Short mmCIF file of all heavy atoms in Angstrom, two decimals:
data_model
loop_
_atom_site.label_atom_id
_atom_site.label_comp_id
_atom_site.label_asym_id
_atom_site.label_seq_id
_atom_site.Cartn_x
_atom_site.Cartn_y
_atom_site.Cartn_z
N ALA A 1 0.82 -1.22 0.00
CA ALA A 1 0.00 0.00 0.00
C ALA A 1 0.85 1.27 0.00
O ALA A 1 0.43 2.31 -0.50
CB ALA A 1 -0.93 0.01 1.21
N PHE A 2 2.07 1.18 0.55
CA PHE A 2 2.94 2.35 0.65
C PHE A 2 3.27 2.88 -0.74
O PHE A 2 3.71 2.15 -1.61
CB PHE A 2 4.25 1.98 1.38
CG PHE A 2 5.14 3.16 1.67
CD1 PHE A 2 4.91 3.95 2.78
CD2 PHE A 2 6.20 3.47 0.84
CE1 PHE A 2 5.73 5.03 3.06
CE2 PHE A 2 7.02 4.54 1.10
CZ PHE A 2 6.79 5.33 2.21
N GLY A 3 3.04 4.17 -0.94
CA GLY A 3 3.29 4.79 -2.25
C GLY A 3 2.04 4.86 -3.10
O GLY A 3 1.94 5.71 -4.00
N ARG A 4 1.07 3.97 -2.85
CA ARG A 4 -0.19 4.00 -3.59
C ARG A 4 -1.20 4.93 -2.91
O ARG A 4 -2.01 5.57 -3.57
CB ARG A 4 -0.78 2.60 -3.72
CG ARG A 4 0.02 1.67 -4.63
CD ARG A 4 -0.63 0.29 -4.70
NE ARG A 4 -0.04 -0.53 -5.74
CZ ARG A 4 1.06 -1.26 -5.58
NH1 ARG A 4 1.66 -1.27 -4.40
NH2 ARG A 4 1.54 -1.99 -6.58
N ILE A 5 -1.16 4.95 -1.59
CA ILE A 5 -1.96 5.90 -0.82
C ILE A 5 -1.03 6.54 0.20
O ILE A 5 0.05 6.02 0.50
CB ILE A 5 -3.16 5.22 -0.12
CG1 ILE A 5 -2.69 4.05 0.76
CG2 ILE A 5 -4.17 4.74 -1.13
CD1 ILE A 5 -3.81 3.37 1.52
N SER A 6 -1.44 7.67 0.75
CA SER A 6 -0.57 8.42 1.66
C SER A 6 -0.35 7.66 2.97
O SER A 6 -1.13 6.76 3.32
CB SER A 6 -1.17 9.79 1.97
OG SER A 6 -2.35 9.65 2.74
N VAL A 7 0.71 8.04 3.70
CA VAL A 7 0.98 7.43 5.00
C VAL A 7 -0.21 7.63 5.93
O VAL A 7 -0.64 6.73 6.65
CB VAL A 7 2.25 8.03 5.63
CG1 VAL A 7 2.42 7.55 7.07
CG2 VAL A 7 3.48 7.65 4.80
N SER A 8 -0.79 8.83 5.90
CA SER A 8 -1.93 9.11 6.77
C SER A 8 -3.14 8.26 6.40
O SER A 8 -3.89 7.81 7.27
CB SER A 8 -2.30 10.59 6.70
OG SER A 8 -1.23 11.38 7.17
N ALA A 9 -3.37 8.04 5.09
CA ALA A 9 -4.47 7.19 4.66
C ALA A 9 -4.25 5.74 5.11
O ALA A 9 -5.19 5.05 5.52
CB ALA A 9 -4.64 7.25 3.14
N ILE A 10 -3.00 5.27 5.03
CA ILE A 10 -2.67 3.93 5.52
C ILE A 10 -3.01 3.82 7.00
O ILE A 10 -3.65 2.85 7.45
CB ILE A 10 -1.17 3.62 5.30
CG1 ILE A 10 -0.88 3.43 3.81
CG2 ILE A 10 -0.75 2.37 6.07
CD1 ILE A 10 0.59 3.26 3.49
N LEU A 11 -2.62 4.83 7.77
CA LEU A 11 -2.88 4.81 9.21
C LEU A 11 -4.38 4.81 9.50
O LEU A 11 -4.85 4.12 10.40
CB LEU A 11 -2.21 6.01 9.88
CG LEU A 11 -0.68 6.07 9.78
CD1 LEU A 11 -0.16 7.34 10.42
CD2 LEU A 11 -0.04 4.85 10.40
N ALA A 12 -5.14 5.59 8.72
CA ALA A 12 -6.58 5.66 8.93
C ALA A 12 -7.25 4.32 8.65
O ALA A 12 -8.11 3.87 9.41
CB ALA A 12 -7.19 6.75 8.03
N LEU A 13 -6.85 3.67 7.58
CA LEU A 13 -7.45 2.38 7.21
C LEU A 13 -7.02 1.27 8.16
O LEU A 13 -7.81 0.37 8.49
CB LEU A 13 -7.07 2.03 5.77
CG LEU A 13 -7.78 2.89 4.72
CD1 LEU A 13 -7.03 2.83 3.39
CD2 LEU A 13 -9.21 2.42 4.54
N VAL A 14 -5.77 1.33 8.61
CA VAL A 14 -5.32 0.37 9.62
C VAL A 14 -6.13 0.55 10.90
O VAL A 14 -6.53 -0.42 11.55
CB VAL A 14 -3.81 0.54 9.91
CG1 VAL A 14 -3.39 -0.25 11.14
CG2 VAL A 14 -2.98 0.09 8.71
N LEU A 15 -6.39 1.81 11.25
CA LEU A 15 -7.22 2.09 12.42
C LEU A 15 -8.60 1.49 12.26
O LEU A 15 -9.14 0.89 13.19
CB LEU A 15 -7.33 3.60 12.64
CG LEU A 15 -8.38 4.04 13.68
CD1 LEU A 15 -8.02 3.52 15.06
CD2 LEU A 15 -8.54 5.54 13.70
N LEU A 16 -9.20 1.66 11.08
CA LEU A 16 -10.54 1.13 10.85
C LEU A 16 -10.56 -0.39 11.04
O LEU A 16 -11.45 -0.93 11.70
CB LEU A 16 -11.01 1.49 9.44
CG LEU A 16 -12.42 1.04 9.06
CD1 LEU A 16 -13.45 1.63 10.01
CD2 LEU A 16 -12.74 1.43 7.62
N GLY A 17 -9.58 -1.08 10.47
CA GLY A 17 -9.50 -2.53 10.63
C GLY A 17 -9.30 -2.92 12.08
O GLY A 17 -9.94 -3.86 12.60
N GLN A 18 -8.42 -2.18 12.78
CA GLN A 18 -8.16 -2.47 14.19
C GLN A 18 -9.39 -2.18 15.05
O GLN A 18 -9.68 -2.91 16.00
CB GLN A 18 -6.98 -1.63 14.69
CG GLN A 18 -5.63 -2.08 14.15
CD GLN A 18 -4.52 -1.27 14.78
OE1 GLN A 18 -4.04 -1.58 15.87
NE2 GLN A 18 -4.10 -0.21 14.10
N ALA A 19 -10.08 -1.08 14.72
CA ALA A 19 -11.26 -0.70 15.52
C ALA A 19 -12.34 -1.77 15.43
O ALA A 19 -12.94 -2.16 16.45
CB ALA A 19 -11.79 0.64 15.04
N VAL A 20 -12.58 -2.26 14.22
CA VAL A 20 -13.59 -3.31 14.03
C VAL A 20 -13.19 -4.57 14.79
O VAL A 20 -13.99 -5.16 15.54
CB VAL A 20 -13.76 -3.63 12.53
CG1 VAL A 20 -14.64 -4.86 12.33
CG2 VAL A 20 -14.37 -2.43 11.80
N ALA A 21 -11.93 -5.01 14.60
CA ALA A 21 -11.46 -6.21 15.29
C ALA A 21 -11.39 -6.00 16.80
O ALA A 21 -11.73 -6.91 17.57
CB ALA A 21 -10.08 -6.61 14.75
N GLY A 22 -10.98 -4.79 17.22
CA GLY A 22 -10.88 -4.50 18.64
C GLY A 22 -12.22 -4.54 19.34
O GLY A 22 -12.35 -5.04 20.47
N LEU A 23 -13.26 -4.02 18.70
CA LEU A 23 -14.60 -4.07 19.27
C LEU A 23 -15.08 -5.51 19.45
O LEU A 23 -15.71 -5.85 20.47
CB LEU A 23 -15.58 -3.30 18.38
CG LEU A 23 -15.51 -1.77 18.44
CD1 LEU A 23 -16.38 -1.15 17.36
CD2 LEU A 23 -15.93 -1.27 19.82
N VAL A 24 -14.77 -6.36 18.47
CA VAL A 24 -15.17 -7.78 18.55
C VAL A 24 -14.42 -8.47 19.69
O VAL A 24 -15.02 -9.22 20.48
CB VAL A 24 -14.90 -8.49 17.21
CG1 VAL A 24 -15.15 -9.99 17.34
CG2 VAL A 24 -15.78 -7.90 16.11
N VAL A 25 -13.11 -8.23 19.78
CA VAL A 25 -12.31 -8.84 20.85
C VAL A 25 -12.80 -8.38 22.21
O VAL A 25 -12.94 -9.18 23.15
CB VAL A 25 -10.81 -8.50 20.67
CG1 VAL A 25 -10.01 -8.92 21.90
CG2 VAL A 25 -10.25 -9.20 19.43
N ASP A 26 -13.08 -7.08 22.35
CA ASP A 26 -13.56 -6.55 23.62
C ASP A 26 -14.93 -7.13 23.99
O ASP A 26 -15.20 -7.44 25.16
CB ASP A 26 -13.68 -5.02 23.54
CG ASP A 26 -12.33 -4.33 23.69
OD1 ASP A 26 -11.38 -4.98 24.15
OD2 ASP A 26 -12.24 -3.14 23.35
N GLN A 27 -15.79 -7.27 23.00
CA GLN A 27 -17.15 -7.72 23.25
C GLN A 27 -17.19 -9.17 23.72
O GLN A 27 -17.94 -9.52 24.65
CB GLN A 27 -17.99 -7.57 21.98
CG GLN A 27 -19.47 -7.84 22.17
CD GLN A 27 -20.16 -6.76 23.00
OE1 GLN A 27 -19.77 -5.61 22.99
NE2 GLN A 27 -21.19 -7.15 23.75
N PHE A 28 -16.38 -10.02 23.10
CA PHE A 28 -16.46 -11.46 23.38
C PHE A 28 -15.25 -12.00 24.15
O PHE A 28 -15.24 -13.17 24.53
CB PHE A 28 -16.61 -12.22 22.06
CG PHE A 28 -17.85 -11.86 21.29
CD1 PHE A 28 -17.78 -11.02 20.19
CD2 PHE A 28 -19.09 -12.34 21.68
CE1 PHE A 28 -18.92 -10.68 19.48
CE2 PHE A 28 -20.24 -12.01 20.98
CZ PHE A 28 -20.16 -11.17 19.88
N GLY A 29 -14.23 -11.17 24.36
CA GLY A 29 -13.06 -11.63 25.12
C GLY A 29 -12.25 -12.69 24.42
O GLY A 29 -11.70 -13.60 25.07
N PHE A 30 -12.16 -12.60 23.09
CA PHE A 30 -11.36 -13.58 22.34
C PHE A 30 -9.90 -13.54 22.78
O PHE A 30 -9.40 -12.53 23.27
CB PHE A 30 -11.46 -13.30 20.85
CG PHE A 30 -12.80 -13.61 20.24
CD1 PHE A 30 -13.32 -12.84 19.22
CD2 PHE A 30 -13.55 -14.69 20.68
CE1 PHE A 30 -14.55 -13.13 18.65
CE2 PHE A 30 -14.79 -14.99 20.13
CZ PHE A 30 -15.29 -14.20 19.12
N PHE A 31 -9.20 -14.66 22.57
CA PHE A 31 -7.78 -14.81 22.91
C PHE A 31 -7.53 -14.61 24.41
O PHE A 31 -6.45 -14.18 24.82
CB PHE A 31 -6.92 -13.82 22.11
CG PHE A 31 -7.19 -13.82 20.64
CD1 PHE A 31 -7.81 -12.74 20.03
CD2 PHE A 31 -6.84 -14.91 19.86
CE1 PHE A 31 -8.07 -12.74 18.67
CE2 PHE A 31 -7.09 -14.91 18.49
CZ PHE A 31 -7.71 -13.83 17.90
N HIS A 32 -8.56 -14.89 25.22
CA HIS A 32 -8.46 -14.76 26.68
C HIS A 32 -8.21 -13.32 27.12
O HIS A 32 -7.67 -13.08 28.21
CB HIS A 32 -7.35 -15.66 27.23
CG HIS A 32 -7.56 -17.11 26.97
ND1 HIS A 32 -8.43 -17.89 27.70
CD2 HIS A 32 -7.02 -17.95 26.03
CE1 HIS A 32 -8.41 -19.13 27.23
NE2 HIS A 32 -7.57 -19.19 26.22
N MET A 33 -8.59 -12.35 26.29
CA MET A 33 -8.46 -10.95 26.65
C MET A 33 -9.63 -10.54 27.55
O MET A 33 -10.72 -11.12 27.47
CB MET A 33 -8.44 -10.07 25.40
CG MET A 33 -7.20 -10.23 24.51
SD MET A 33 -5.69 -9.66 25.31
CE MET A 33 -4.86 -11.22 25.62
N PRO A 34 -9.43 -9.53 28.42
CA PRO A 34 -10.55 -9.06 29.27
C PRO A 34 -11.71 -8.52 28.43
O PRO A 34 -11.49 -7.92 27.38
CB PRO A 34 -9.90 -7.92 30.08
CG PRO A 34 -8.43 -8.18 30.03
CD PRO A 34 -8.17 -8.82 28.70
N LYS A 35 -12.94 -8.77 28.89
CA LYS A 35 -14.11 -8.28 28.16
C LYS A 35 -14.38 -6.82 28.50
O LYS A 35 -14.32 -6.42 29.67
CB LYS A 35 -15.34 -9.13 28.50
CG LYS A 35 -15.33 -10.53 27.93
CD LYS A 35 -16.64 -11.25 28.20
CE LYS A 35 -16.64 -12.65 27.60
NZ LYS A 35 -17.93 -13.34 27.83
N HIS A 36 -14.69 -6.02 27.47
CA HIS A 36 -15.07 -4.62 27.64
C HIS A 36 -16.27 -4.38 26.72
O HIS A 36 -16.11 -3.86 25.61
CB HIS A 36 -13.92 -3.67 27.28
CG HIS A 36 -12.69 -3.88 28.11
ND1 HIS A 36 -12.52 -3.29 29.35
CD2 HIS A 36 -11.57 -4.60 27.87
CE1 HIS A 36 -11.34 -3.64 29.84
NE2 HIS A 36 -10.74 -4.43 28.96
N PRO A 37 -17.49 -4.76 27.16
CA PRO A 37 -18.67 -4.65 26.28
C PRO A 37 -18.92 -3.22 25.82
O PRO A 37 -18.73 -2.26 26.58
CB PRO A 37 -19.82 -5.15 27.16
CG PRO A 37 -19.15 -5.99 28.21
CD PRO A 37 -17.83 -5.35 28.47
N PHE A 38 -19.35 -3.08 24.58
CA PHE A 38 -19.66 -1.77 24.00
C PHE A 38 -21.10 -1.40 24.34
O PHE A 38 -22.00 -2.23 24.22
CB PHE A 38 -19.48 -1.80 22.48
CG PHE A 38 -19.60 -0.45 21.82
CD1 PHE A 38 -18.52 0.42 21.81
CD2 PHE A 38 -20.79 -0.05 21.24
CE1 PHE A 38 -18.62 1.66 21.21
CE2 PHE A 38 -20.90 1.19 20.63
CZ PHE A 38 -19.81 2.05 20.62
N THR A 39 -21.31 -0.15 24.80
CA THR A 39 -22.65 0.30 25.18
C THR A 39 -23.15 1.35 24.19
O THR A 39 -22.38 2.01 23.51
CB THR A 39 -22.63 0.90 26.59
OG1 THR A 39 -21.73 2.02 26.62
CG2 THR A 39 -22.17 -0.13 27.61
N LYS A 40 -24.47 1.50 24.15
CA LYS A 40 -25.09 2.45 23.23
C LYS A 40 -24.67 3.88 23.50
O LYS A 40 -24.64 4.73 22.61
CB LYS A 40 -26.62 2.33 23.30
CG LYS A 40 -27.16 1.02 22.78
CD LYS A 40 -28.68 0.98 22.87
CE LYS A 40 -29.23 -0.33 22.34
NZ LYS A 40 -30.74 -0.39 22.44
N GLN A 41 -24.33 4.18 24.77
CA GLN A 41 -23.93 5.54 25.12
C GLN A 41 -22.66 5.98 24.40
O GLN A 41 -22.38 7.17 24.28
CB GLN A 41 -23.71 5.64 26.64
CG GLN A 41 -24.99 5.55 27.47
CD GLN A 41 -25.44 4.11 27.69
OE1 GLN A 41 -24.82 3.18 27.19
NE2 GLN A 41 -26.53 3.94 28.43
N LYS A 42 -21.90 5.01 23.89
CA LYS A 42 -20.64 5.33 23.24
C LYS A 42 -20.78 5.53 21.73
O LYS A 42 -19.78 5.74 21.04
CB LYS A 42 -19.62 4.22 23.50
CG LYS A 42 -19.24 4.06 24.97
CD LYS A 42 -18.24 2.94 25.16
CE LYS A 42 -17.90 2.74 26.62
NZ LYS A 42 -16.95 1.61 26.81
N LEU A 43 -22.01 5.48 21.23
CA LEU A 43 -22.22 5.59 19.78
C LEU A 43 -21.78 6.96 19.25
O LEU A 43 -21.24 7.06 18.14
CB LEU A 43 -23.69 5.34 19.44
CG LEU A 43 -24.14 3.87 19.49
CD1 LEU A 43 -25.63 3.77 19.24
CD2 LEU A 43 -23.38 3.05 18.45
N PHE A 44 -22.01 8.02 20.02
CA PHE A 44 -21.62 9.36 19.57
C PHE A 44 -20.10 9.44 19.43
O PHE A 44 -19.58 9.96 18.44
CB PHE A 44 -22.11 10.43 20.53
CG PHE A 44 -21.68 11.82 20.15
CD1 PHE A 44 -22.20 12.44 19.02
CD2 PHE A 44 -20.73 12.49 20.91
CE1 PHE A 44 -21.79 13.72 18.66
CE2 PHE A 44 -20.32 13.78 20.56
CZ PHE A 44 -20.85 14.39 19.42
N GLY A 45 -19.39 8.90 20.43
CA GLY A 45 -17.93 8.88 20.35
C GLY A 45 -17.45 8.06 19.17
O GLY A 45 -16.51 8.44 18.47
N LEU A 46 -18.14 6.93 18.91
CA LEU A 46 -17.77 6.08 17.78
C LEU A 46 -18.02 6.81 16.46
O LEU A 46 -17.23 6.69 15.52
CB LEU A 46 -18.58 4.78 17.82
CG LEU A 46 -18.30 3.76 16.72
CD1 LEU A 46 -16.84 3.32 16.76
CD2 LEU A 46 -19.21 2.56 16.84
N PHE A 47 -19.10 7.59 16.40
CA PHE A 47 -19.40 8.37 15.20
C PHE A 47 -18.29 9.38 14.92
O PHE A 47 -17.86 9.55 13.77
CB PHE A 47 -20.73 9.09 15.36
CG PHE A 47 -21.03 10.05 14.23
CD1 PHE A 47 -21.48 9.58 13.00
CD2 PHE A 47 -20.85 11.42 14.41
CE1 PHE A 47 -21.73 10.46 11.95
CE2 PHE A 47 -21.11 12.30 13.37
CZ PHE A 47 -21.56 11.82 12.14
N LEU A 48 -17.80 10.06 15.96
CA LEU A 48 -16.70 11.02 15.79
C LEU A 48 -15.45 10.32 15.27
O LEU A 48 -14.74 10.84 14.40
CB LEU A 48 -16.39 11.70 17.12
CG LEU A 48 -17.42 12.70 17.65
CD1 LEU A 48 -17.02 13.18 19.05
CD2 LEU A 48 -17.57 13.88 16.70
#
C-alpha cells in the first residue's frame, strides 16, 4: 500500500480494521483478553 496511498491514509485504514477487530475482541473476550462490552452511550464517540 505504501506509495499508492498516503501514509496518513494507511494509518486511517489500519485504524478502521483495528477498531472493528478491537470491538469484537472486547465484546467477546477472544484470545483470553478481558471483556469490555460496548454500550449504546458510546455511539456518539464512535461516530466522531
Side-chain angles (χ1 to χ4, degrees):
F2 186 82
R4 291 180 170 85
I5 55 178
S6 68
V7 172
S8 297
I10 290 174
L11 298 177
L13 288 161
V14 169
L15 169 64
L16 182 59
Q18 288 185 84
V20 171
L23 285 172
V24 173
V25 170
D26 282 344
Q27 188 69 31
F28 299 103
F30 290 145
F31 310 110
H32 299 282
M33 292 293 109
K35 289 186 179 181
H36 301 275
F38 188 81
T39 60
K40 292 181 180 179
Q41 290 82 358
K42 296 180 182 178
L43 285 175
F44 177 70
L46 181 60
F47 173 77
L48 290 175

